[in-house]
Amino acid sequence: MAVTILVVEDEHAIQELIALNLKKAGHIVLCADDAEQARKMINNALPDLVLLDWMLPDISGLEFARKLRREERTKAIPIIMLTARIQESDKIAGLEAGADDYVTKPFSPRELLARIKAVLRRRMPEMSDEIIEVGGLRLDPVTHRVHVAAADEPSRLTEISLGPTEFRLLHFLMAYKERVHTRAQLLDRVWGDHVFIEDRTIDVHIRRLRKILEAVEKENLVQTVRGTGYRFSIEYREESVE
Ligand code: CA
């Protein structure tokens, strides 16, 4: 599970220690010394997670977390607060500002990595390496393979071949099964931030995905929700499939 993590920390020794450990774990690391620099980096490209120190030289990490949560583009970024503060009231303030978790200094690199993993699993299941099985499909994010179980014999698996975009799309839809996603959400989460493609392109990839699934009689899993977007559901709703 390699993700891009933005570390916002003004103490360079701690910043470097965190960066080193995150890189060793296979993550892509960006570092900012204060909120202003972090803001510029976020404007440039959205990270998958922000490690945010509470005490920063310009505005506090707490205030910065609130700002991120208030904006449409940044409100869904997972945030872990780093702090030397240990009072219960501080912890509550951090969580109320929109932080997903809270790590108290000094912390071990192992603890930090475990917290990051837990937050990502909770907030972004499509970032997880775990195999997802739903509706007779079995998707393995590590090997990039999708198998279909035979209706009469679930242990008999047939591999289906998907292009990289269809794979990511299916992974996202399966990770958030039964939920409806707008085209804008799919654009953001599957294609990535700052990618300028038309909504219609999404429909093209959905159609391609359905066509591949049709060959194994699973096309009804990917449903159109009229006027809203798309959903992966094991309950077939005739009116919602176009
Ligand atoms: Ca600090």
Side-chain angles (χ1 to χ4, degrees):
M1 182 169 59
V3 298
T4 304
I5 298 173
L6 173 62
V7 181
V8 191
E9 165 67 88
D10 57 313
E11 283 164 75
H12 282 139
I14 298 175
Q15 190 193 83
E16 275 165 32
L17 181 74
I18 293 172
L20 187 76
N21 280 285
L22 295 180
K23 281 178 191 162
K24 244 199 284 178
H27 299 302
I28 298 154
V29 185
L30 303 168
C31 293
D33 297 336
D34 53 38
E36 200 199 329
Q37 203 186 351
R39 161 61 65 195
K40 282 183 189 151
M41 290 171 125
I42 289 172
N43 286 348
N44 187 43
L46 273 186
D48 297 312
L49 184 138
V50 178
L51 283 182
L52 183 58
D53 186 34
W54 185 302
M55 300 292 279
L56 292 171
D58 45 359
I59 62 167
S60 75
L62 203 64
E63 185 50 36
F64 190 54
R66 281 198 200 104
K67 281 178 192 282
L68 292 177
R69 285 291 176 260
R70 273 200 296 266
E71 284 171 37
E72 188 59 35
R73 182 167 167 264
T74 54
K75 69 179 185 193
I77 303 180
I79 300 171
I80 298 178
M81 298 282 300
L82 304 173
T83 180
R85 293 171 182 242
I86 46 160
Q87 283 182 8
E88 186 71 13
S89 59
D90 293 334
K91 182 171 178 171
I92 291 165
L95 296 174
E96 278 178 355
D100 294 274
D101 202 359
Y102 192 96
V103 179
T104 308
K105 293 175 186 172
F107 49 82
S108 74
R110 266 176 72 186
E111 183 196 353
L112 183 63
L113 287 169
R115 297 288 189 100
I116 289 171
K117 205 170 173 178
V119 165
L120 287 175
R121 191 181 297 135
R122 198 165 72 230
R123 290 287 304 279
M124 311 176 93
E126 81 277 18
M127 290 287 190
S128 159
D129 282 347
E130 277 162 38
I131 289 171
I132 306 176
E133 281 181 275
V134 48
L137 295 184
R138 182 179 196 276
L139 183 143
D140 186 337
V142 177
T143 60
H144 267 240
R145 287 176 141 179
V146 180
H147 286 89
V148 183
D152 53 343
E153 198 188 329
S155 61
R156 205 178 74 231
L157 299 173
T158 311
E159 187 171 350
I160 55 172
S161 174
L162 295 169
T165 305
E166 283 71 35
F167 182 88
R168 283 205 312 279
L169 187 56
L170 182 63
H171 189 188
F172 182 82
L173 291 171
M174 285 174 76
Y176 294 94
K177 64 177 194 293
E178 306 300 334
R179 282 197 237 168
V180 181
H181 311 282
T182 63
R183 286 173 179 81
Q185 284 167 336
L186 290 174
L187 239 173
D188 245 24
R189 303 286 292 275
V190 178
W191 274 262
D193 182 45
H194 283 343
V195 174
F196 300 102
I197 63 163
E198 290 176 59
D199 284 1
R200 251 194 347 215
T201 311
I202 295 168
D203 301 340
V204 169
H205 285 283
I206 288 276
R207 269 204 299 280
R208 253 186 233 166
L209 177 59
R210 279 216 190 103
K211 197 149 182 66
I212 294 162
L213 293 176
E214 201 181 343
V216 289
E217 295 174 0
K218 292 286 181 191
E219 73 278 15
N220 292 338
L221 291 171
V222 178
Q223 303 170 359
T224 302
V225 182
R226 229 168 248 145
T228 312
Y230 296 104
R231 157 180 67 204
F232 185 99
S233 175
I234 54 170
E235 274 178 67
Y236 178 57
R237 300 166 175 90
E238 194 171 4
E239 77 281 3
S240 65
V241 179
E242 287 175 342

